[in-house]
Amino acid sequence: MSRAMDPHAAWPVPAGIQGELVPLESCTGLAAEWTALECEADCSPFSSWQWVSTWLEHLPAEVRPLLFRARDAHGVVALALVVDCEEKGNARWFGRRSWYLQETGDPVLDEITVEYAGLLARPGTLEGAYRALFEALDGLPRDWRRLHIGTSAQGAAIAAALPAGLEASSVQARPCHQVDLDAVRRAPGGYLELLGRSTRGTLRQTLRAYEALGPLRVDTAREPARALEWFDAFEALHTASWQSRGRDGCFASPFFARFHRALIARTAASGFAQLGRVTAGEAIVGYLYSLCWQGRLYFYNAGLNYGLLQRHDRPGVAALHTAVQQAADDGLHVFDFLAGDQDYKRRLATGNVVLHSIDVRREGVRTAAEHLAKGLIHRTAPATPLAHALTTTSQPRAARD
């Protein structure tokens, strides 16, 4: 078989980095390889072995990811999991399949929502590793439609690594609001001092209303059994809130619940998956589900007790303020609200970065026809070329009041 048709072939890339795509079942020792690399990398919890191994263990048997591995003279520099998804419906006119990086293309399975997606890579190697990935994909049969990388902070490396014949588009740009916890600790007046004037006023009203019931505090379940008990309570509150608005919440996906219960059971004791219960005296304000990784706390989801107060009933604001202050007291560096431009995230943040959902396609008539058809059929604006999108969203922005 020629290299051009061999998905397991190694591909020479500038800077001495070579890439390969290999079946996962052939990757003995992957856990040790992955955890060694994540110790060198500045990565998100969604790229950690805790998250990735739980995902792999709970995927249906028919979903069979390939491992992308890139090496240089010193060893492994990058790892990722990619899934081949067969296209259905009209999308088949533009290619038989799509590749997804650490997603499946099935919305039920992808309800767990990976953010900060991309390669797990040794510092200084990201651009070269993406070149190796694109070379490896170019060696596969040419019936694939796109490579999709969801909600990523690696857009600059992806754009720089694109070879001739491939184009990358930002199909969605989303702010990721954050709180600088080092600044919280430095501020004489604490967290409140860093927020806008109207937010401070509203928040003080809310905090006083809840504190009339007793002091606000957040407790974290460190024992897996207690964490799973609180996860059940979180599910009940979360689902009730969504159903009151006539919509299904994330627990409508059975995979979501299975995955997170397994993740909590295996990592709550280490502090990776954190169930926090926020109380005002004896009253439960809500449950916050977060991931703690590399000095950052990533707020993932919440189950909130609406209706506890007659006035200033804002359990989310009260719970998150309490959690941010506790994270600062615990010595963490960033509280990350994850992607989304909801009003509460903007108001409670001290700044943000922008993440991009990215599609990489082959240039040519077929891709141009797909862009045109999408605009005509769905009346949607065309995706923005990635390089252009990055120039308009590359600078972190201060939070707005």
Side-chain angles (χ1 to χ4, degrees), residues 80-237:
L81 295 164
V82 293
V83 174
D84 177 9
C85 177
E86 186 174 352
E87 294 289 1
K88 299 177 176 62
N90 291 331
R92 285 182 61 85
W93 287 100
F94 308 107
R96 293 180 54 196
R97 52 189 18 89
S98 283
W99 290 96
Y100 289 83
L101 200 153
Q102 209 176 308
E103 291 182 309
T104 67
D106 181 336
V108 174
L109 300 179
D110 294 340
E111 184 66 42
I112 61 173
T113 312
V114 170
E115 298 192 12
Y116 290 98
L119 302 182
L120 176 68
R122 187 198 304 160
T125 67
L126 191 59
E127 184 180 328
Y130 270 111
R131 287 198 190 101
L133 174 61
F134 297 146
E135 291 280 2
L137 289 173
D138 192 53
L140 299 178
R142 299 180 66 85
D143 61 350
W144 57 274
R145 172 180 164 230
R146 61 173 178 164
L147 166 67
H148 181 72
I149 304 169
T151 318
S152 180
Q154 296 180 354
I158 293 167
L162 283 173
L166 289 183
E167 64 175 37
S169 300
S170 171
V171 295
Q172 186 179 29
R174 304 175 71 195
C176 185
H177 296 282
Q178 302 171 341
V179 179
D180 180 345
L181 298 177
D182 295 323
V184 170
R185 284 188 288 272
R186 291 193 301 267
Y191 176 34
L192 270 173
E193 180 183 312
L194 303 178
L195 304 179
R197 183 173 61 182
S198 66
T199 299
R200 290 198 305 269
T202 301
L203 190 50
R204 286 192 178 104
Q205 283 183 329
T206 300
L207 296 178
R208 283 196 297 268
Y210 279 100
E211 287 170 348
L213 304 176
L216 277 163
R217 59 175 289 169
V218 57
D219 296 298
T220 301
R222 298 296 183 183
E223 303 80 19
R226 174 61 59 85
L228 288 168
E229 177 186 330
W230 288 5
F231 186 79
D232 290 341
F234 151 67
E235 177 183 358
L237 287 172

Side-chain angles (χ1 to χ4, degrees), residues 3 26-27 40 86 103 147 149-150 161 170 187 247-248 259 329:
R3 187 178 71 176
S26 69
C27 301
E40 298 183 69
E86 186 174 352
E103 291 182 309
L147 166 67
I149 304 169
S170 171
R247 299 174 63 185
D248 293 327
F259 171 85
D329 294 343

Side-chain angles (χ1 to χ4, degrees), residues 316-383:
V317 170
L320 286 166
H321 173 271
T322 306
V324 168
Q325 189 60 61
Q326 185 62 56
D329 294 343
D330 290 343
L332 298 175
H333 300 294
V334 174
F335 188 99
D336 195 315
F337 288 101
L338 295 176
D341 203 28
Q342 294 92 328
D343 182 68
Y344 76 89
K345 293 184 179 183
R346 292 197 308 272
R347 289 180 173 272
L348 293 177
T350 61
N352 68 53
V353 296
V354 178
L355 307 181
H356 293 267
S357 293
I358 298 166
D359 279 354
V360 177
R361 289 178 165 87
R362 288 189 177 91
E363 294 177 337
V365 174
R366 187 168 65 180
T367 297
E370 181 178 2
H371 290 325
L372 178 62
K374 187 174 293 185
L376 292 174
I377 296 172
H378 301 290
R379 305 294 182 184
T380 57

